[in-house]
Amino acid sequence: MPKNHCPLCHANKFNYYKAGNDYLLAKCSECGMVWDNNPPANPTAIYQEDYYNNDFPKGGYSNYFQGMKINSQTFRKRLLKAEKKLSGQGLLLDVGCALGDCLEQAKDLGWDNPQGLEVSEYAVKFAQSRGLSVYQGDLFDHNLEPNSFDLIMLQDTIEHTTDPIAQLTAAYQLLKPGGWIFITTPNVGGFWQKLLGSLWYHYKPTEHLTYFSLDTIKFALEKSGFSDVESKPTSNLMSLGYILNRLKYYQQILFSFLLSISQFLNLDKLVFNLWIGELEAWGKKS
């Protein structure tokens, strides 16, 4: 069913613009929010085993397992930021925790019983096999107690929902007073989107359903009750092999060749800290 009201301010005034071949998004004329107003009937159906290991030019992961070590470094960096916000550690909930790499890093850093929510049955079983406290569900389907968590993380998760305000409100209810929410998501108002236009990598039909800018993510957090809200561009640690693999989306032959050369020279595992068009946002429960 078409969603012709803005998911943030609920205005029904919007314009369409092209975000790829046969891919139209809506942009709110009032607050600037961008969303897919014709989302799939069952948005979570795609999160099967092949989501984590596939040959899709966009969507999912070409090989999540190859990137786990690098991803873990990014998660560790974010957790250390969170420790500064909290002036220590506390009870952590990672929403959309995938195979549990962030939770593994939290355990390694000494966080007590970090927990995860994940809609993918495959990912939940994988994470549980690693000895992690991960439950199948989302912020609307769980048995967690309100006012329980010191930190809730939504990393590359909120863009997969059609109702971000409901998600953030549910997260707010789970946080203790004084607790923090941390979000990462593609930045639709950022440099790379402006440069690449409809070729921007983060435009993903049927997968990414809401697209935030620095301003709209702040608006969403404030509307959901959070204070001390801030948002800014963020970086990710990525291997050369991963970068070249994803650049194949733009030029298959060239970047496949460069990937082969990097592997032959054993350069594909070089790691770079890159601003790839994402933002991070923080909010506090008063």
Side-chain angles (χ1 to χ4, degrees), residues 19-125:
N21 293 331
D22 302 318
Y23 186 39
L24 292 177
L25 294 170
K27 183 172 183 178
C28 180
S29 302
E30 300 293 329
C31 72
M33 182 64 191
V34 177
W35 75 99
D36 185 342
N37 72 333
N38 191 27
N42 183 11
T44 64
I46 64 173
Y47 304 115
Q48 308 299 324
E49 182 174 357
D50 66 355
Y51 182 78
Y52 299 92
N53 191 351
N54 64 67
D55 294 322
F56 307 149
K58 290 176 73 173
Y61 300 90
S62 60
N63 191 323
Y64 189 96
F65 305 95
Q66 286 182 355
M68 287 171 82
K69 187 174 181 180
I70 307 289
N71 292 338
S72 292
Q73 293 179 40
T74 296
F75 294 136
R76 193 178 189 91
K77 181 178 68 170
R78 293 171 179 171
L79 287 163
L80 291 173
K81 284 185 184 179
E83 289 183 10
K84 292 182 179 179
K85 287 282 187 185
L86 272 65
S87 299
Q89 298 178 346
L91 191 57
L92 161 66
L93 178 65
D94 188 14
V95 179
C97 64
L99 307 186
D101 291 336
C102 185
L103 297 175
E104 282 260 299
Q105 289 302 305
K107 286 181 68 174
D108 188 63
L109 287 168
W111 290 66
D112 184 30
N113 190 30
Q115 299 174 46
L117 279 174
E118 171 57 53
V119 297
S120 167
E121 181 180 5
Y122 166 77
V124 169
K125 289 181 177 178

Side-chain angles (χ1 to χ4, degrees), residues 57-58 192 196 198-202 245-253 255:
K58 290 176 73 173
W192 286 111
L196 297 171
S198 65
L199 295 176
W200 188 45
Y201 181 77
H202 290 294
N245 190 292
R246 282 321 196 186
L247 285 173
K248 289 192 297 185
Y249 165 69
Y250 296 103
Q251 176 48 257
Q252 176 76 25
I253 296 175
F255 288 108

